[in-house]
Amino acid sequence: MIKIFRINFLFLIFSSISCSQTSNSANNLDSKSMVVSAHPLASEVGINILKKGGNAADATIAVQFALAVVYPSAGNIGGGGFFVYRSKDGQCSTLDFREKAPLTSTRDMYLDSSNNVIKNLSLYSHLAVGVPGTVDGMVNIHKKYGQLPWKELVQPAIDLATNGFELTRLEANKLNRFNKTKGKINKNSEYYKEHFSEGDSIFLPQLSKTLILIRDHKRAGFYSGETAEMLVKEMSLNGGKITQQDLDSYQSIWRDPTICFYKGHKIISMSPPSSGGILLTQMLKMAEHFPLRDFGFHSLKSIHVMTEIEKLSFADRAKHLGDPDFYKVPEKSLIDSLYLLERSNKINIDSTLLSSGIYAGEFNLNESEETTHFSIVDEYGNASSLTTTLNGSFGSGIIVDGAGFLLNNEMDDFSIQPGYPNMYGLIGGEANAVEPSKRMLSSMTPTILEKDGNLFMVLGTPGGSTIITAVFQTIINVVDYDMSIEQAVNSPRFHHQWYPDEIKLEKDIAKDSNLIIQLKAMNHQLNFVSSMNRVDAILVKKNKYFGGADNRGDDHVSFF
Ligand code: GLY
């Protein structure tokens, strides 16, 4: 149900905010707490929780639910994600609330009788949906770290859904594209309207009702009762696989983080079933063997070397990474210093490795577009880094009838056939094949850095496969090129993922025509794209917080 109000909601909202910036950056040296997210209203929800005495975990839960309302292309209760937390005493933990394949999933479920992939089945059908993990994840975070009552953390999202909120230009455009391109939106759904404009207000009463059930019954408000019945009915009427048994058995899991060291910094990131932490570690440890600072930012040599590093890492991803509960991922071998030295020795400063000449490393296997990210620090010194997703923009496009929330299309992150590219062009094999209850491999890379034992940086980004390279490059920008956090976040980026054998470059890099000529002369294939990723980060220097919200979107720093 959409109603149009032209009163200035943003005025009402921002006039009640004491110490908040509407720009994409914040360098308020007196700030005690900070939230950087993809949407100003979600950042404000988070900062208000911190003002009430909540900690970074409380704010994380409130921001996750708020994004499910104001940022429906990726914020969600019907998806999943990963959470990295560093508490004030330096203890780190990571929560995997990634979706799982339904219990009746099969390896060939996206293939026809001739073993050909049925186009779009893993993306835009009820079979595309993995068992959602977000609500269980938030409940688990609250159990372990929550300080404020659960109800107070869900309520701001309910208020936004009930009282309405104003669309930004970007969000209005996205909803228009969603309604047109997927072409499947139920015209009775809360997200349907002929045309959205900036400033229109959107009201989501069905989603609000679902959030009230979650507020009042926590996990049971989603995985059983009315919401679960509607979700299971949505599936059974439309050929989907998720049953009540799937919902009952879903559990998020605390896992050990992937940890590495880079030039005096400790990097804490997500372990499998995300490939983020392992690949980030590989890239940084290979980067250590090259004088990137001397090469210079975005010089021919630095882009060339970092591209080669990215290719080598993504070759390992395709072969070795998957859900560790189902596949023995050789984690130690993949981040072993000697192995990475050998890998980096393959890189020639003067010539380009063809992807067809690169293979994943071999080990003794006995050992073992749209997403969103937010970063939070509180006045106690706790830090939270969370990346969450429905996979594609607005996920599968399926809205649970009556319950008003969007469902993910995360099943496409499995390798649905060996060598068949997913929506990000990533390929894979056995390690990431579909199996009942298995988690699909992710690239999400929520990350926290320490320097000299103290909190130094909190960061992450959306962007599918480009997530890992964007986090890699943002860290290099700060550590090797001494950039401020805004510069590091807003600088143009480039990306290579082994296959396709091309460097994706943001167009601003193309302005350096000499560099482009030189890269081509080295046989790099170039693919220019308008924009990649939205990195939201916080840098800590001398106990002060500096926020960097990516200027590619509506991303916003709030602080007090
Ligand atoms: N769905 C994108 C990812 O998890 O990498």
Side-chain angles (χ1 to χ4, degrees), residues 98 391 410 413 424 442-444:
R98 181 73 161 164
N391 194 25
E410 219 72 64
D413 270 350
Y424 302 104
S442 172
S443 299
M444 290 188 274

Side-chain angles (χ1 to χ4, degrees), residues 16-20 32-33 44-55 59 148 378-380 558-560:
S16 68
I17 295 165
S18 50
C19 229
S20 154
K32 291 193 284 183
S33 302
E44 287 308 320
V45 162
I47 210 72
N48 286 335
I49 293 293
L50 297 174
K51 277 183 191 166
K52 282 167 85 173
N55 61 20
L148 293 186
D378 66 23
E379 61 181 311
Y380 314 107
S558 290
F559 59 89
F560 80 92

Side-chain angles (χ1 to χ4, degrees), residues 16 30 50 59 73 78 159 274 285 289 295 309 343 350 410 415 418 424-425 442 457 495 538 540:
S16 68
D30 297 325
L50 297 174
S73 56
D159 293 343
S274 178
K285 282 174 97 160
H289 298 298
F295 287 169
I309 286 172
R343 293 290 273 176
D350 299 315
E410 219 72 64
S415 171
Y424 302 104
S442 172
M457 196 172 169
H495 167 80
I538 297 169
V540 189

Side-chain angles (χ1 to χ4, degrees), residues 170-188:
L170 282 181
E171 288 307 303
N173 290 345
K174 266 201 244 171
L175 279 166
N176 287 331
R177 278 198 300 275
F178 171 51
N179 278 336
K180 283 198 188 90
T181 53
K182 302 260 161 67
K184 286 186 197 139
I185 301 305
N186 180 342
K187 294 205 170 173
N188 297 321

Side-chain angles (χ1 to χ4, degrees), residues 82 98 317 369-371 389-392 410 413 424 426 441-444 464-465 467:
F82 298 100
R98 181 73 161 164
R317 184 192 194 276
E369 200 128 289
E370 179 145 345
T371 298
T389 191
L390 291 165
N391 194 25
E410 219 72 64
D413 270 350
Y424 302 104
L426 290 166
L441 184 60
S442 172
S443 299
M444 290 188 274
S465 50
I467 289 174

